[in-house]
Amino acid sequence: MKNRFNYYLILILTLVLTGCYSVRKTVENSKPNSEKINWPEAYGPDKAQFFVHNEIDIKASPATVWDILIMAESWPDWYEGAKDVQITNSDAQALKDNSIFEWKTMGQDFTSYVTEFDEPYRLSWESKKSSIQGYHAWLIVPTKDGCKLITSEAQFGFLTLMQKAFVPNKLRKLHDLWLAEIKQKAEK
């Protein structure tokens, strides 16, 4: 019994230390672009238990990318990471300033609150549950050939620790897919 306890204790410590290193490396590798995001004090990438940063170059205008991104209720039609998206405080299908939307992602139901809406460059939302809290930010940066679409997410909570330990790359891969789908739609 004591050996089994020691084994689990070592496993948990290894996962926590590995996760801390992983978050720090992700934050370091995402600079300077994640520094352009208006992070709330509580969600700074350097403080997060779990942090994911993804970006992609798109040969389309920021306005074109923005128009695709804010159409939240259509995400499930083309992005496998979103299910049952519904804006609950408006009849609109598109996100706007102060939108509240319910959705399912990574097997969990969330209610998300738009906290930043600066058309066509910045969109952010916060999601809170007792088991996980997250801040998801989008940044659209104009470039010579179109724009760079950046998405970063900082998380805290029990489910965050489980995610970090057991599926540490799942969210990064889903965000890569989300960006690739937006790119494909925008460049058509």
Side-chain angles (χ1 to χ4, degrees), residues 98-118:
N98 297 312
S99 286
I100 300 170
F101 61 102
E102 294 178 353
W103 62 317
K104 181 175 258 185
T105 185
M106 292 193 61
Q108 297 289 316
D109 292 320
F110 287 95
T111 300
S112 300
Y113 304 85
V114 172
T115 58
E116 184 175 32
F117 191 90
D118 181 13

Side-chain angles (χ1 to χ4, degrees), residues 14-106:
T14 301
L15 291 172
V16 168
L17 292 174
T18 302
C20 291
Y21 175 78
S22 171
V23 168
R24 187 175 43 115
K25 290 312 268 179
T26 302
V27 171
E28 288 172 5
N29 292 339
S30 68
K31 290 180 180 175
N33 287 326
S34 71
E35 292 176 342
K36 294 177 183 174
I37 292 171
N38 297 325
W39 292 103
E41 180 73 25
Y43 288 101
D46 291 328
K47 298 176 184 177
Q49 289 176 331
F50 190 70
F51 178 76
V52 178
H53 176 89
N54 306 68
E55 52 185 78
I56 195 167
D57 288 310
I58 300 177
K59 291 181 181 175
S61 71
T64 298
V65 172
W66 178 265
D67 289 343
I68 295 166
L69 180 60
I70 65 169
M71 293 301 294
E73 291 191 0
S74 74
W75 295 343
D77 297 339
W78 50 268
Y79 169 54
E80 72 180 54
K83 306 277 186 250
D84 304 324
V85 180
Q86 182 179 7
I87 299 170
T88 60
N89 65 335
S90 166
D91 290 336
Q93 291 186 346
L95 297 175
K96 57 186 180 181
D97 197 19
N98 297 312
S99 286
I100 300 170
F101 61 102
E102 294 178 353
W103 62 317
K104 181 175 258 185
T105 185
M106 292 193 61

Side-chain angles (χ1 to χ4, degrees), residues 5 10 26 34 59 65 72 84 93 108 118 121 127 131-132 142 148 177 182:
F5 174 78
I10 291 170
T26 302
S34 71
K59 291 181 181 175
V65 172
D84 304 324
Q93 291 186 346
Q108 297 289 316
D118 181 13
Y121 303 110
S127 305
S131 57
I132 189 169
K148 180 178 290 289
L177 179 60
I182 292 172

